[in-house]
Amino acid sequence: MVKVKICGVTLKEDALMIDNLGAHYIGIIIDENLARGVSIEKALEISLSIKNAKSVAVIVDHKKLSLIDKLSNAFDIFQLHYNPISKEDVDLIASLGIKVSPVIIIN
């Protein structure tokens, strides 16, 4: 079975529609400086509206991991989308019982 992830969701209404259409994962990029990214507050609002799909917090800067306590109850998976990803970063998230999905970046 192929699983579908829609990433870069910036609106709660879009997340609800994607969720109702049957996507398996909905990715929310937590960085308001990016075109498809949102603030932490907006990410929480979107994630908490998702009922069926798994919510994925896409972290593009390791400095955002300092917010892990604020985000840990609102997301099913954390996707680390920066390079290099340290073992400490993965261990920190895993210690909270959250699934970690690292990304391999090829230049």
Side-chain angles (χ1 to χ4, degrees), residues 13-97:
E13 297 77 17
D14 290 346
L16 292 170
M17 178 183 62
I18 293 164
D19 196 26
N20 288 330
L21 288 172
H24 298 94
Y25 304 95
I26 299 175
I28 304 160
I29 302 169
I30 302 173
D31 190 332
E32 57 194 303
N33 295 316
L34 298 176
R36 301 299 304 164
V38 297
S39 68
I40 294 155
E41 293 76 18
K42 186 74 171 174
L44 289 168
E45 175 190 348
I46 295 168
S47 180
L48 293 172
S49 73
I50 298 168
K51 302 296 178 215
N52 301 305
K54 300 281 186 191
S55 60
V56 181
V58 181
I59 308 294
V60 296
D61 182 349
H62 75 276
K63 294 174 190 154
K64 299 280 185 192
L65 285 180
S66 63
L67 306 167
I68 197 81
D69 289 337
K70 196 177 218 184
L71 302 171
S72 63
N73 291 327
F75 288 91
D76 298 300
I77 300 169
F78 276 67
Q79 179 179 327
L80 306 182
H81 204 298
Y82 54 86
N83 199 14
I85 298 169
S86 72
K87 182 176 180 337
E88 291 79 18
D89 291 351
V90 174
D91 289 346
L92 169 66
I93 296 170
S95 72
L96 297 171

